[in-house]
Amino acid sequence: MKGINSYHRSLLEAFYEEGYTRVKLTRDWYTWRIRPFLSFLEAEGIALADTGPSEIKRHFARLVDEGYSWSTRNGSYTALSVFFRWLVARGLVERSPFDVEEIKRPRKTARVQYLVEIEELQKLFDTIRAEDSVLARRDYALILLMFDTGLRRAEAASLKISDIRMKQNLIVIRVAKNNNQRIVPCQTITIDAVERWLEVHPTKDEGHLFVALRGKSYGKPLSGRRIHGILASWLEKAGIEDSCRITPHSLRRAFATYFSDAGGDMFVLRDILGHKGIETTRLYVINTQKRIQLQHTKHSPVNLLDLR
C-alpha cells in the first residue's frame, strides 16, 4: 500500500481485517477513498488523533479543486466516516470529526441534460438507411425501436422475436427494471423496420430479436454495452457533433421529452417508460432553453394585456 507511512498502512490493514472489508473489491473501494486523506494528513504533519472538522473541510475542498466528481467525493465521505467510526470504537481517536453537524455530505449539483435534436436524429436515421446491409437493417430497427418506445438498452437487448406483436403494433417487455413487465405500443413504420430486419435475421426462430452478426458471438443476443457501441458507431458515421453525449439513455429521454411536447399524457408516458411514480417520469422530460423560451412565448400572462 504505497503513498502512506507504515503506521497508517497498519491501521488500514487492521480496519480491513476487523471490519466487513475483507473482499478485495470492497478493500480497494475503501483504499481509493481513505488513502488520499491519510496522504493529505501526512503532508500537513497532522496526526489522526488531532484531526478535526477543519481538516475534513480542507480535504474535500482540495478534491473539488482537483476536479473530482460528486460521486467520488460522496464515496470519500462515506468511507472516511466509517473509518473514523472504527477508530473511535478502537479508542484510537477520541471523537469522529464527522459527528460535528457542520460536516455535511457533498451536495449533488444538477447537470444540464442534453436533448437530442430532431435534426440530429433525422441525420442519424438517414445515414443508417443509406447503407443497405444486414447490419444496417438490424441497427436501424434497433435504434428506431428504442426511440419510438423509450426502451432501456437492457430491455431492448432482452427482447425475443415472440415479444413483437406485429399485427397489433405492440411490444411485450418481459425483462424490465424492478420486474415491471409491460406492453408498449409502437408506430407502424417501426414494425416495418423490424420486419425488414427479420427477413435477414440469422436464426429466424423464437430466439432474441437483436443478435450479433460477427465473430464468436454470431447469433447470440446483443449486450447492453454492445448496443451502446452500435449507436456510437452510427453517430460517428453520421458526423454528428458532440456524439459522445448521445447514448441509448439519451434516446429514452428524447422520447419522453418529444412525447410530452406533442401533448402526450404524463400518466400514459409513465406507463410506457415503466416508471412506478409520476415524479420519476417528470425528471425524464428535459426543459432545454429552447423549450423554455417557446413555452414562455406561448403562455406568458403578458399576452393577455393590450399594450400595443
Side-chain angles (χ1 to χ4, degrees), residues 10-22 86 89-90 92:
S10 64
L11 279 182
L12 278 181
E13 289 298 334
F15 171 63
Y16 297 148
E17 290 301 320
E18 295 179 25
Y20 52 87
T21 52
R22 297 181 182 180
W86 176 81
R90 296 298 177 275
L92 298 172

Side-chain angles (χ1 to χ4, degrees), residues 1 6 22 40 65 89 112 134 166 188 197 206 211 215 218 244 269:
M1 195 177 295
S6 58
R22 297 181 182 180
F40 162 73
D65 291 341
V112 176
V134 175
M166 302 290 188
T188 300
W197 156 235
E206 295 304 302
V211 297
Y218 183 85
C244 61
L269 179 59

Side-chain angles (χ1 to χ4, degrees), residues 41 73 86 100 129 148 177 200 238 245 253 262 278 280:
L41 291 182
R73 290 182 283 116
W86 176 81
V100 180
R129 285 195 300 175
D148 188 23
K177 191 174 181 180
V200 293
R245 301 176 68 181
R253 286 186 175 275
I278 197 70
T280 303

